[in-house]
Every structure is written in C-alpha cells, then in structure tokens.
Amino acid sequence: MLCLGVLAPAILVPAFGFLASLALMAAVLTVMKPARQAALAFVWRSRAKSLALGIVVGGALAVGIAELVRPFVESILGRGVDTAGLDAVAGNWPVFVATLVVALASAAAEEVLYRGYVIGWGARIFGRGAVPLLVLISAAAFGASHSYGPSGAVVTGLIGLALGVLYQLCGRRLLPCVAAHMTFNLIGSVALFLA
C-alpha cells in the first residue's frame, strides 16, 4: 500500500497534489532503507552514457509528441491539450525562467516518484512479474496528475509510459529518465517562450 498509496494525492488533486505525494514518498524513503535502495538507483552504465541516452530520448520524445502523438490524440478526442495556464510564458523572460526552474526540478522529482518509487520499489515488493502493471499504473498516474485536460492526460500518460519503458531498459536506473524528462521539459519551456 505504501508503494502505490502515495499516488492518491497526485491523482486526486492534479498539479498541487503532487507535492503531497512527494512528501509522503520522502517520509517513507526516510524510514525504510529497502525503499531507498530500490527507488534511488541512479546511474546506468556511466554518468556520461546515462546523460547522453536521456538527452537523445528526451529530444526524440519532444519531437514525437509535438509532431505525431499530440495531434493524433487531439484529433481522436476532439479536444486540444489545455495549456492556457502557460500562456504567460510567451516572450516573458522572468516567467520563462521561473517556469524553466520549476519544469526542471519537477522533472527530477517526478522521476523519483513515478519511476523510481512506484516501479523500482514496487518491483521489489510485488516481484518482477508485476513490472508491466507497475509501468502502466505509473504512466496512468503521471497522466492524471497533470492538469492539461483529457487530451493532456492521455498525452502525458503516454510520455510517462515511454519514460517507464526507458527506466526498465536501463535496469531501473533513474539518471537516463531524469535527463530525458529534463530535456523534454526544457524543449517544451523554450517552445512556450518562443510561441
């Protein structure tokens, strides 16, 4: 229950509930050493390879989502991704810098929660056979926890799925996923600024 229960605030209160989920996860990681070992495994092969892979995957993910996935999901659901709350970023340096800092910090925190904690520790608790289900739960929670409307939840869930697969392919190590997520968020923030 501790493994998946921490997702409830993030799912129930999109955007701000993530902070409560993060606090719950931090409390569990503080008192449970086995959770820390599974959830915080970081480097895959080497730091350089982890970062390089993450940057390539994050860039490819940003292009693929923007050019293929988002338009497809929006056409199927008949609704656009709701980014109205981010309109103030366009051309506004102070807002852009603040948004970028939040985007990069949240990328690292989200990877620890959704990939490291849910999938990494979940695999240790429930066994390797549960990993595909944990990847799907993590992706669905990741999508639901972002407040971009129905299309945004699907698109963000698909991003979470890609990051969950990357996490598995890298032996459940976080650094490639953190680098990919940060790269994705950096590209998205720059695109919002230049819009």
Side-chain angles (χ1 to χ4, degrees):
M1 185 61 180
L2 288 175
C3 176
L4 300 177
V6 299
L7 295 174
I11 294 168
L12 296 173
V13 185
F16 298 109
F18 170 71
L19 297 174
S21 290
L22 201 57
L24 289 170
M25 178 195 69
V28 172
L29 291 178
T30 300
V31 297
M32 297 189 72
K33 187 176 181 179
R36 283 194 303 270
Q37 291 170 337
L40 300 176
F42 213 68
V43 177
W44 170 78
R45 298 197 181 180
S46 72
R47 288 185 199 282
K49 288 180 181 178
S50 294
L51 290 171
L53 177 63
I55 290 167
V56 168
V57 169
L61 195 55
V63 171
I65 292 294
E67 299 299 322
L68 301 171
V69 175
R70 181 177 172 174
F72 178 73
V73 169
E74 289 175 338
S75 71
I76 296 284
L77 296 181
R79 301 172 81 174
V81 173
D82 182 9
T83 57
L86 299 171
D87 289 342
V89 177
N92 187 329
W93 276 103
V95 174
F96 167 67
V97 170
T99 300
L100 186 59
V101 168
V102 170
L104 296 179
S106 67
E110 287 175 340
E111 289 312 306
V112 172
L113 175 65
Y114 293 105
R115 262 54 76 184
Y117 188 82
V118 172
I119 302 170
W121 189 36
R124 193 154 184 192
I125 293 170
F126 301 114
R128 292 169 48 122
V131 168
L133 181 58
L134 291 167
V135 169
L136 291 175
I137 290 169
S138 170
F142 184 70
S145 69
H146 289 74
S147 56
Y148 302 128
S151 292
V154 172
V155 170
T156 307
L158 291 171
I159 294 165
L161 182 62
L163 291 168
V165 169
L166 176 64
Y167 180 68
Q168 279 302 110
L169 292 175
C170 292
R172 290 190 217 119
R173 298 296 189 261
L174 284 172
L175 188 54
C177 296
V178 170
H181 198 152
M182 284 183 158
T183 300
F184 182 88
N185 283 3
L186 172 65
I187 292 168
S189 297
V190 169
L192 287 169
F193 177 73
L194 296 175

